[in-house]
Amino acid sequence: SFGYNIELQKLGEVVDLRCRSMVNPIGIISPDFSWQLKDPSIGACQKSYEIQIASSLQKLDNNIADIWKSGVCISSSQLHIIPSRVSFKDGIKYWWRVRVREGNRKLTNWSKPSFFITGLTNSSWKAKWISVDWNSCKSLPYLRKQFTINEKPISAIVYLCALGCGDLFVNGNLNDETRVLDPAQTNYEQYALYTTFDITSKLSKGDNCIGVMIGDGWYHQNKVWGTWAAYGNPKMR
């Protein structure tokens, strides 16, 4: 008798999907896409790719790319692919996936879906600036808003701009202990940064509270450098 060791050739798979080099990011203005081809075969390589973007996970699962589809692009590129001729609405969650054709003409399955949530442009900011009588404050002021919701929210996103810095609290707890003097320093005469937080899991049915503690940061540095280094009193929106 003869012994045979026949190993069936397996399909590669597309993994490690990233938008702007991040996994499922929020607050994205101009998305670009990256991924990796996972295939241990000798000489495995990508010959083309195809990207789909949909407004919901259900549509993507049903092969309905109602936002954008790249079509088949003959390219080995896997980094920072920018979708062309598509405009994304502010504050919206989008789902996307990728598949590639390999050098041996094998077409991979679609990758597992990933998502990104867009940020806010200037025209989308509806909130007004909030501040306090800074001269009478002996410590960092804590601004808070109580509200009631009738059921557990599907999605709750906070876009926070604090001049100079702000800590976000949700129901009495600091939202992110890793952030210090957030957002970062900028040329405040030209622009200011904001931070995006997904607080969906931290809200519950019934009474809730959101608070922000604001401070000088680099925006109001008159105590160190003099009045010329102060852009104004700290504020947030």
Side-chain angles (χ1 to χ4, degrees), residues 66-120:
D66 60 328
I67 301 301
W68 185 76
K69 52 185 176 181
S70 66
V72 177
C73 299
I74 308 301
S75 173
S76 61
S77 297
Q78 301 175 356
L79 294 174
H80 308 304
I81 305 300
I82 300 175
S84 60
R85 298 185 298 278
V86 57
S87 58
F88 299 99
K89 296 180 179 180
D90 290 358
I92 299 296
K93 188 175 188 176
Y94 295 96
W95 292 87
W96 66 287
R97 63 182 183 178
V98 188
R99 67 179 178 184
V100 307
R101 188 174 294 279
E102 300 188 58
N104 53 13
R105 304 192 64 80
K106 291 189 301 181
L107 183 64
T108 69
N109 295 322
W110 286 106
S111 66
K112 293 181 179 179
S114 289
F115 68 84
F116 62 94
I117 299 177
T118 49
L120 300 183

Side-chain angles (χ1 to χ4, degrees), residues 11 19 33 51 65 79-80 83 87 98 104 116 131 138 149 153 159 170 172 175 180 206 219 222-223 236:
L11 286 175
C19 177
F33 305 121
I51 303 173
L79 294 174
H80 308 304
S87 58
V98 188
N104 53 13
F116 62 94
S131 188
K138 301 301 182 182
I149 51 180
Y159 299 89
V170 182
N175 185 70
V180 179
Y219 184 75
N222 62 326
K223 295 181 181 66
M236 56 78 63

